[in-house]
Amino acid sequence: MMRQYELVERVKAYEPGADEDALNKAYVFTVKAHGNQKRASGDPYFSHPVEVAGLLSDKRLDCASIITGLLHDTVEDTEVTIPDISEIFGEEVAALVDGVTKLSQLELQSDRTKQAENFRKLVLAMSQDIRVLIVKLADRLHNMRTLHFIKAPDKRRRIARETMDIYVPLTERIGIRDWQEELEDIAFQELNPDARASIVARLEFLAESGGDVVERVRAALQANLNDAGLNADVSGRQKRPYSIWRKMQRQNIGFEQLSDIMAFRVVVDSIEDCYKALGALHGKYSMVPGRFKDYVSLPKPNGYRSIHTGVIGPENRRIEIQIRTRAMHEIAELGVAAHWRYKQTGKPDQESKGSTEGRQYRWLRELLEILDNASGPEDFLEHTKMEMFSDQVFIFTPKGDLHALPRGSCPVDFAYAVHTDIGNRCTAARVNGRLVPLRTELRNGDQVEIVTSKAQTPSPAWENFVVTGKARACIRRFVRSVQREQYVRLGKEILDRAFKAAGYEATEKALKGIVQRFDAENAEDIQAAVGEGRISARDVLYAAYPGAKEKEKEKKAPRPRAAKEQIDPSSGGAIPIRGLIPHMAIHFAKCCHPLPGDRIIGIVTTGKGVTIHNMDCPTLENFSDMPERWLDISWDQDAVDGSAFTGRIRAVLLNEPGALAEVTGVIGRDGGNISNLKFTSRSADFFEMLIDIEVVDAKQLNNILAALRASKHVNSVERA
């Protein structure tokens, strides 16, 4: 464990003006506060915050951060409070400690909820001061170094999984590479010990059989760069076991097929020398296609800049080389800590000024937007993992602005990355000047133009193909808000008719009197629950008017099928589909594909609202003994005019040339649009198919059926 004077000397070595008295006071304070507390290893507990402070001093953090590292567990594990820290060490340190402190006193529902809530608080705190995150990561790194002292295997695995899912991506985002690799390796050892042991054994075998191959290759590269007249420092090492395993998994290859398990770093004086070194190496050794990446001209979001290339190098070995300036190397080693120090000293890295300004924290702003759109901590954690845990592609706006997106992103992801409003109003996209579907996967270097409309709103279907957490969170937020409105509107209609049929009125006063009975806050909550199918209209009626239950007992309830047969569309008692958006409060059954003009009926589905069926749909037999779920529904012609609905037909065609072309031509000439086509059987003479056609109503579909029956290529056709 680091002694008090050693820590002070380390801090003053890079920050001569550091407050020595405050550092000494914090060291003594944490020793006294933790007293006789012990860690799982048996060491005094205060050894942990001292080691955390040492890790922070390795990254040359400022005095306030070092003090925070010493005090970060005092509020959570001792009697010390934030006001105590504020009084003794000042508001800056108190704010940092508060940001790092876990919400251990909250009574949360599960470990996952607790983890998500702690992460939400961490994001909020680090958005105010990124040093909160650096201290938290140092805390996690030292805890991982002592993970093996925890006796319970399940607890070790849980901590390792949490580290891999949350803290490793965060460390990568702020660019502290050595911490990231160590966290990955320790977590890998716990989560997959057999795989790690196998890789380590193979690396040791290669080292024994090949001698000091890394040093020989390094010396050859150094000599080549010296001959080119460059002042370059070359270093090399084998890749870490987890890095090798991840590449094996990603490329689905075995260890024997890996040929670039060695990585070398070339550090030069200027950006011009970076490209001179690249030319010298490519001139001497053959480049490996597809292994070149220029992060100097296109920096990573965390500010990392280097040229990466793969070559068949000395001794005919395939190696990876990173080329960077000394200033870039410092940022690569220290990450955001380097940017913080520049901010404090007023000496920014001139090479990166302008090219990475603001970009290193863009990911943090996006996390805050996800937080705003998430429905709760667990939702936020899910979207955040999606946002951070992926490779990247670089996409340009028409004006040349650069956006880094996860691999697999589509134009909708890009639209939300530019601005939430653009994503919400996105109607179409042009990629490299060509109009493409919104679900098109974007590639590195694509230029994307988003077409918007004020009338457009996010489609629930977008959630099926977007990959960024921000896009998914925004879409879900819109869907939640609209679904709520739809459920309230539908629930009000259902209650009005149910109360009216029983001789009562569903007044707001009547509903307010029973809100506590249904654990609701207001009458609107009850209406939404009825529309969603979580509460039946009959239960609400009985709660509001207990006498209604007795009246109903006196009557003989009709059988469900009889009730269906007695429905009269002209009676005016049906609930019209007015202003209800499909896939929100209402859903069209895929078993019968109801169309405007069909006689329809609704089935209340718990948590989904109402599913609309044709009156003659055989599926309705499954609900014959559940009359409370049947709902009299009618089309509102004004609301459906101009909308497209999907109808399905089954056709048997002659197996001869031109038959399929004739069928699709007939459908097109009658204004139908084929949305899906599936062959169900085929013989020497005939083939049968199901065809989904977008039409405006049942009449149009019937016209298409009549036209198809007149075709010489069609043996039979009917509505499916």
Side-chain angles (χ1 to χ4, degrees):
M1 183 181 69
M2 191 181 305
R3 297 178 182 273
Q4 182 175 338
Y5 74 89
E6 291 175 330
L7 177 61
V8 174
E9 286 178 357
R10 289 179 67 170
V11 176
K12 290 185 72 68
Y14 63 83
E15 190 178 342
D19 189 339
E20 185 174 343
D21 290 340
L23 287 168
N24 284 321
K25 188 191 298 182
Y27 192 104
V28 173
F29 186 90
T30 194
V31 170
K32 289 183 177 180
H34 289 292
N36 295 323
Q37 291 177 352
K38 300 285 185 180
R39 287 176 60 78
S41 61
D43 293 332
Y45 192 92
F46 63 79
S47 64
H48 167 64
V50 170
E51 291 300 324
V52 169
L55 287 169
L56 296 170
S57 68
D58 288 341
K59 298 304 176 188
R60 292 180 273 178
L61 265 291
D62 64 312
C63 187
S65 300
I66 305 299
I67 294 173
T68 302
L70 290 168
L71 304 177
H72 76 275
D73 273 340
T74 53
V75 174
E76 183 180 340
D77 296 329
T78 74
E79 299 298 320
V80 176
T81 65
I82 292 297
D84 293 337
I85 292 177
S86 179
E87 182 179 348
I88 300 171
F89 298 99
E91 292 184 4
E92 181 184 14
V93 171
L96 290 171
V97 173
D98 186 42
V100 179
T101 302
K102 292 179 180 178
L103 300 179
S104 56
Q105 319 213 328
L106 280 183
E107 294 181 3
L108 297 171
Q109 297 176 354
S110 66
D111 286 340
R112 177 173 170 80
T113 305
K114 184 175 181 179
Q115 176 196 77
E117 182 61 35
N118 285 333
F119 184 55
R120 185 193 68 84
K121 182 176 185 249
L122 174 63
V123 169
L124 287 173
M126 72 188 186
S127 68
Q128 302 297 321
D129 196 325
I130 198 68
R131 291 176 295 176
V132 168
L133 176 57
I134 302 175
V135 175
K136 185 65 181 175
L137 293 176
D139 171 44
R140 176 52 60 118
L141 178 57
H142 186 256
N143 282 331
M144 290 297 289
R145 286 177 176 177
T146 57
L147 182 66
H148 58 282
F149 288 111
I150 296 176
K151 294 181 180 179
D154 290 345
K155 185 175 181 181
R156 291 199 307 271
R157 288 184 63 83
R158 178 184 60 78
I159 294 172
R161 174 52 58 196
E162 180 183 70
T163 298
M164 197 69 88
D165 285 350
I166 297 175
Y167 292 99
V168 165
L170 282 172
T171 313
E172 189 274 335
R173 276 292 195 265
I174 65 172
I176 306 181
R177 182 70 179 179
D178 58 334
W179 287 9
Q180 175 194 345
E181 290 181 339
E182 187 173 356
L183 286 171
E184 286 175 337
D185 215 32
I186 298 172
F188 183 40
Q189 165 70 43
E190 187 60 45
L191 296 172
N192 202 337
D194 293 340
R196 186 182 183 279
S198 175
I199 292 171
V200 169
R202 295 187 182 202
L203 290 174
E204 290 174 350
F205 174 77
L206 289 177
E208 292 174 3
S209 60
D212 198 358
V213 63
V214 173
E215 174 55 28
R216 295 200 305 271
V217 172
R218 188 207 68 77
L221 294 175
Q222 183 75 66
N224 180 251
L225 294 171
N226 290 343
D227 292 343
L230 289 163
N231 177 29
D233 296 329
V234 182
S235 59
R237 63 179 177 87
Q238 282 186 334
K239 289 188 175 181
R240 302 285 286 250
Y242 178 74
S243 176
I244 293 172
W245 182 82
R246 184 170 57 183
K247 187 169 185 179
M248 291 167 58
Q249 295 294 106
R250 186 170 61 242
Q251 298 183 4
N252 196 25
I253 57 177
F255 184 88
E256 298 78 7
Q257 296 170 277
L258 287 174
S259 52
D260 56 344
I261 61 174
M262 293 182 291
F264 295 85
R265 182 179 301 127
V266 176
V267 181
V268 294
D269 295 328
S270 65
I271 292 179
E272 183 181 3
D273 286 347
C274 287
Y275 292 100
K276 285 183 179 179
L278 178 67
L281 294 171
H282 280 188
K284 178 73 173 178
Y285 308 110
S286 299
M287 173 193 168
V288 178
R291 298 294 299 165
F292 175 77
K293 294 178 182 178
D294 189 348
Y295 294 119
V296 172
S297 61
L298 287 176
K300 289 186 176 182
N302 59 19
Y304 174 87
R305 304 179 80 199
S306 281
I307 296 172
H308 290 197
T309 186
V311 299
I312 307 298
E315 303 184 17
N316 206 34
R317 295 180 181 274
R318 180 170 166 174
I319 60 175
E320 180 183 288
I321 302 174
Q322 301 168 358
I323 307 170
R324 61 181 71 141
T325 67
R326 301 182 198 284
M328 293 174 192
H329 179 61
E330 185 171 23
I331 293 175
E333 292 297 298
L334 299 179
V336 166
H339 289 287
W340 176 258
R341 194 160 56 81
Y342 292 141
K343 179 180 176 183
Q344 292 297 91
T345 61
K347 298 177 182 178
D349 172 16
Q350 295 301 321
E351 291 179 359
S352 65
K353 188 173 178 63
S355 60
T356 61
E357 188 71 23
R359 195 180 302 154
Q360 68 224 20
Y361 297 118
R362 179 182 293 168
W363 64 274
L364 183 51
R365 293 196 299 271
E366 289 175 351
L367 288 191
L368 291 175
E369 289 195 47
I370 293 174
L371 181 59
D372 289 339
N373 289 302
S375 61
E378 291 183 327
D379 197 30
F380 172 57
L381 183 60
E382 174 194 344
H383 296 324
T384 303
K385 285 182 182 179
M386 191 184 312
E387 191 74 19
M388 294 192 301
F389 224 25
S390 52
D391 294 330
Q392 293 179 321
V393 292
F394 295 96
I395 310 299
F396 294 92
T397 68
K399 293 182 179 180
D401 295 333
L402 179 68
H403 289 266
L405 295 173
R407 192 170 300 280
S409 294
C410 65
V412 177
D413 293 301
F414 176 77
Y416 278 108
V418 174
H419 197 280
T420 302
D421 287 343
I422 293 177
N424 288 338
R425 295 187 285 111
C426 171
T427 59
R430 290 187 176 88
V431 176
N432 303 322
R434 293 181 55 205
L435 202 63
V436 299
L438 289 178
R439 65 188 310 140
T440 302
E441 183 174 332
L442 300 177
R443 298 184 178 183
N444 243 334
D446 280 346
Q447 186 181 68
V448 180
E449 178 186 356
I450 301 297
V451 181
T452 61
S453 168
K454 291 182 179 180
Q456 177 69 6
T457 57
S459 167
W462 289 356
E463 193 181 339
N464 297 327
F465 55 79
V466 295
V467 300
T468 60
K470 179 182 177 182
R472 185 156 293 187
C474 290
I475 294 166
R476 284 188 180 178
R477 182 183 186 182
F478 170 80
V479 169
R480 283 197 306 271
S481 64
V482 173
Q483 273 186 329
R484 165 79 177 184
E485 295 175 8
Q486 299 289 306
Y487 285 142
V488 168
R489 186 179 304 178
L490 179 60
K492 188 176 184 304
E493 294 271 10
I494 294 173
L495 288 174
D496 285 346
R497 279 158 176 74
F499 276 56
K500 186 177 180 180
Y504 299 95
E505 189 175 351
T507 63
E508 188 170 345
K509 182 179 179 181
L511 297 181
K512 280 184 177 180
I514 57 172
V515 291
Q516 291 184 347
R517 177 88 59 89
F518 294 100
D519 196 22
E521 292 185 5
N522 49 48
E524 195 175 86
D525 284 349
I526 294 178
Q527 292 168 342
V530 172
E532 194 177 349
R534 291 187 289 110
I535 302 175
S536 73
R538 185 178 296 176
D539 289 340
V540 177
L541 173 64
Y542 294 163
Y545 299 102
K549 192 171 186 178
E550 298 300 323
K551 285 185 180 180
E552 188 168 301
K553 285 181 179 178
E554 297 174 2
K555 300 178 182 179
K556 187 178 179 181
R559 292 181 301 108
R561 288 296 294 177
K564 185 185 87 167
E565 292 161 1
Q566 293 171 10
I567 289 174
D568 180 6
S570 62
S571 66
I575 298 175
I577 303 174
R578 180 187 299 115
L580 297 177
I581 303 173
H583 312 298
M584 294 287 187
I586 61 167
H587 304 265
F588 293 110
K590 294 183 179 180
C591 51
C592 56
H593 294 276
L595 298 172
D598 292 334
R599 292 184 65 195
I600 55 175
I601 198 162
I603 298 295
V604 178
T605 306
T606 304
K608 288 188 175 182
V610 174
T611 302
I612 298 175
H613 293 262
N614 269 319
M615 187 74 76
D616 299 321
C617 178
T619 305
L620 294 176
E621 293 289 349
N622 298 331
F623 305 98
S624 59
D625 59 345
M626 293 178 273
E628 70 281 357
R629 294 181 61 181
W630 291 58
L631 206 60
D632 195 359
I633 296 286
S634 68
W635 299 100
D636 185 310
Q637 203 57 46
D638 293 335
V640 301
D641 276 350
S643 301
F645 296 84
T646 299
R648 174 170 290 181
I649 64 173
R650 179 181 290 107
V652 178
L653 278 61
L654 299 178
N655 191 355
E656 59 187 22
L660 186 58
E662 172 69 15
V663 168
T664 57
V666 168
I667 293 172
R669 285 192 294 272
D670 278 274
N673 181 45
I674 297 175
S675 59
N676 194 27
L677 186 150
K678 178 182 179 181
F679 290 95
T680 56
S681 66
R682 180 170 180 166
S683 65
D685 299 320
F686 301 97
F687 58 91
E688 184 177 333
M689 60 173 46
L690 292 174
I691 308 175
D692 290 345
I693 308 173
E694 291 181 352
V695 293
V696 296
D697 55 23
K699 182 179 179 181
Q700 183 183 8
L701 186 64
N702 289 332
N703 290 339
I704 292 173
L705 289 171
L708 288 173
R709 292 187 182 106
S711 171
K712 65 178 182 179
H713 295 290
V714 177
N715 177 266
S716 64
V717 63
E718 62 183 356
R719 188 169 170 183

